[in-house]
Amino acid sequence: MLTAFDSHEKLAAALVHACPNTSEVNWFYSSSALNRMHDEQVAELHERRHFEKFDFEKSCFSSIASRHDVFIVSLPGRDVEKSISLIREIQYEQKFDQKIIVSGFAGLLYSNRYGALETRLGSDIICVNSENDYQDFRDYLIKSNRELYIDSLVRTGFVIADKSLSDNLNCEFSPDNKPHSILFAEQPDVPNAIYERQYVAEQLIALAEKNPDLNIVIKPRLKKGYATFHKSLKSIAEIIQQSIGPIPKNIKIDYSNINDLILNTDLVCSISSTAIVEGVLSGKFVACISDFGLREPYGTHAFVGSGFLTRIVNLTNLMEPNRNWIEMNCGFQSKPSEVVKQRIQNLLTNAPLNFPPLRLVDATYNPPLFNKRHEKDTYKKSRNLGSGSKLSWWTIKLSYLERQLEKLGKKYSKYLRNAK
């Protein structure tokens, strides 16, 4: 297991169940990830399991490669590509017969999809989340003359959730159904502006005040100060805790395991968290918050046609899910870990794909870089996606400025009273 933290560790933990029963599982965490972790986070990790740390050096990977036949690589960004490249280089140079590499995606893919795929090329098994992703990746590999890698694409479903699509997706829909409890899954970087996070906090408080019998649970991604792959902003939970007015009694902030919280709620909602898909796979009603419009950096565009898109103020009015969309985007009928386990056993019995180092397959190989300027241009264009998205963006910003002016007015009035 080559992993880091947060959702990548969760993906690796799910893939443990895919290992052959007789296998000895060893955990390796990148030293760069451990250096970023909070001390308490590292202490919790030591309590969970024994592990070793690794660096992206040939000598380190040579030692790891000589002791293992199957590598599950669950790392962020370019670290996946570095690991696969090093393993294949060592295998090629030292003439190891059998080295199986498994990689996947730690959640929904809604931006830089092909860049994420490129970093995983060279794996024997690339776990694909959905039929829609599989068809998209397959077409991309054909168009880019990479047909060699199509056999490594495996339709698994969301391994991070490790659940299959059931025949009874969601509860029996009725427009009269009303949720008694709502779970809001927070994301560390969505929305990525403080006034938008303030808006979400205020809307959730308003929803709780309007519906006193409705229990709202807010699940922060991680505890304050804990390391995450994404740039973490001030959490919505913190904003609510620091609210000037009283916090409604039916709002609760809970750091428990997300899987347990999903099982004990009626409705799972978020802006674009993978928790939405996990809610679907658990047979729950779900909602994708569309108050900020359809924006690629926020991932809301990925839910077009799902029946999940709604505003916070309307969360108590359940919408009927599009079952065809669910079948194309939320997984498959088999349990992901069982699919991966069967594929690993087949490769061990027969012969792994054993891709050579990428530089030998394609002399012109040059993976696409993460282009920040392109991302900014995409962000600007995405504001205009969807009906009313630009209007809602300005409405939220003006609303935030009005609230700040109101707070300044109150402070100034208090200052004048004290001066008198």
Side-chain angles (χ1 to χ4, degrees):
M1 295 288 176
L2 300 173
T3 189
F5 46 66
D6 196 15
S7 55
H8 299 284
E9 183 187 18
K10 186 177 177 181
L11 174 64
L15 281 168
V16 166
H17 303 296
C19 297
N21 297 330
T22 56
S23 299
E24 178 187 350
V25 178
N26 296 315
W27 287 80
F28 296 86
Y29 286 76
S30 69
S31 56
S32 57
L34 291 170
N35 291 337
R36 285 182 58 190
M37 286 185 187
H38 190 280
D39 290 343
E40 187 179 339
Q41 201 172 359
V42 176
E44 289 178 4
L45 181 58
H46 277 290
E47 290 177 7
R48 284 200 301 274
R49 61 178 62 95
H50 171 75
F51 65 89
E52 300 175 47
K53 68 177 182 179
F54 72 91
D55 296 302
F56 294 98
E57 296 177 1
K58 208 164 189 178
S59 58
C60 181
F61 266 77
S62 181
S63 173
I64 296 172
S66 63
R67 292 184 283 150
H68 301 88
D69 297 320
V70 179
F71 301 84
I72 292 176
V73 183
S74 180
L75 292 162
R78 291 291 173 182
D79 290 352
V80 182
E81 185 180 35
K82 291 177 191 173
S83 300
I84 294 171
S85 179
L86 281 167
I87 293 168
R88 292 301 184 210
E89 288 279 354
I90 292 164
Q91 180 184 9
Y92 181 75
E93 291 173 2
Q94 300 187 19
K95 295 181 172 54
F96 289 127
D97 291 331
Q98 203 173 53
K99 298 295 173 187
I100 296 172
I101 302 176
V102 182
S103 63
F105 304 96
L108 285 163
L109 294 171
Y110 50 77
S111 63
N112 197 35
R113 293 166 58 82
Y114 302 131
L117 173 63
E118 289 274 5
T119 60
R120 288 157 177 79
L121 294 181
S123 304
D124 295 276
I125 299 172
I126 300 177
C127 303
V128 181
N129 292 336
S130 67
E131 182 63 30
N132 189 42
D133 286 349
Y134 178 84
Q135 295 296 339
D136 192 24
F137 289 159
R138 186 177 181 279
D139 291 345
Y140 172 76
L141 291 174
I142 291 172
K143 289 175 183 177
S144 59
N145 297 317
R146 305 278 180 82
E147 292 93 340
L148 169 70
Y149 297 107
I150 291 176
D151 286 343
S152 65
L153 299 178
V154 181
R155 297 176 173 95
T156 59
F158 284 83
V159 178
I160 198 166
D162 203 21
K163 292 181 180 178
S164 62
L165 280 174
S166 62
D167 294 329
N168 300 311
L169 282 173
N170 297 92
C171 313
E172 188 63 33
F173 179 77
S174 168
D176 298 325
N177 283 351
K178 296 289 181 182
H180 299 291
S181 58
I182 291 177
L183 171 65
F184 175 75
E186 191 177 340
Q187 295 166 261
D189 60 342
V190 176
N192 63 9
I194 190 64
Y195 61 85
E196 291 176 331
R197 300 178 86 80
Q198 178 81 34
Y199 168 84
V200 173
E202 292 181 355
Q203 288 293 304
L204 290 172
I205 290 173
L207 184 68
E209 290 174 340
K210 186 178 178 181
N211 302 275
D213 295 331
L214 178 67
N215 293 316
I216 299 176
V217 175
I218 297 171
K219 169 64 172 79
R221 177 68 166 262
L222 293 168
K223 293 180 182 179
K224 186 177 180 180
Y226 275 30
T228 175
F229 173 58
H230 304 279
K231 182 181 179 182
S232 185
L233 303 172
K234 187 175 184 179
S235 74
I236 293 168
E238 282 182 77
I239 293 171
I240 289 177
Q241 288 173 326
Q242 296 169 7
S243 176
I244 295 174
I247 301 172
K249 293 181 179 179
N250 54 333
I251 282 188
K252 178 185 176 184
I253 295 165
D254 199 328
Y255 290 91
S256 302
N257 184 287
I258 186 72
N259 297 328
D260 297 333
L261 294 176
I262 288 173
L263 292 176
N264 294 306
T265 193
D266 296 329
L267 172 70
V268 180
C269 70
S270 182
I271 294 174
S272 59
S273 170
T274 308
I276 294 175
V277 175
E278 293 182 64
V280 170
L281 296 172
S282 299
K284 301 294 181 178
F285 285 108
V286 299
C288 171
I289 292 171
S290 60
D291 291 57
F292 307 110
L294 304 179
R295 295 163 66 176
E296 185 182 352
Y298 285 9
T300 44
H301 70 293
F303 293 93
V304 171
S306 65
F308 304 155
L309 291 163
T310 190
R311 296 174 68 86
I312 297 174
V313 70
N314 297 324
L315 282 176
T316 53
N317 302 319
L318 299 175
M319 298 175 65
E320 185 168 11
N322 183 335
R323 296 173 192 277
N324 291 331
W325 185 94
I326 289 173
E327 289 175 4
M328 288 297 294
N329 293 276
C330 293
F332 301 94
Q333 294 299 328
S334 301
K335 194 175 181 181
S337 61
E338 292 175 357
V339 175
V340 178
K341 186 174 185 177
Q342 185 62 49
R343 186 62 176 257
I344 291 175
Q345 288 174 338
N346 289 343
L347 292 173
L348 287 172
T349 304
N350 301 310
L353 300 179
N354 277 350
F355 293 109
L358 290 171
R359 62 179 175 78
L360 298 180
V361 176
D362 183 359
T364 62
Y365 174 67
N366 184 22
L369 297 174
F370 295 95
N371 190 321
K372 293 295 179 183
R373 183 167 183 177
H374 169 72
E375 289 178 2
K376 287 181 180 178
D377 291 342
T378 306
Y379 171 77
K380 288 176 183 177
K381 291 175 184 176
S382 66
R383 283 188 189 166
N384 298 317
L385 286 172
S387 174
S389 62
K390 192 169 185 179
L391 177 62
S392 64
W393 184 84
W394 279 109
T395 302
I396 292 166
K397 192 161 188 176
L398 288 171
S399 176
Y400 172 76
L401 292 173
E402 286 173 4
R403 290 192 298 271
Q404 298 306 309
L405 288 170
E406 185 180 348
K407 288 179 183 178
L408 286 172
K410 287 179 181 179
K411 287 183 179 179
Y412 183 64
S413 299
K414 186 177 180 181
Y415 171 76
L416 289 177
R417 284 197 301 271
N418 291 337
K420 291 178 181 178

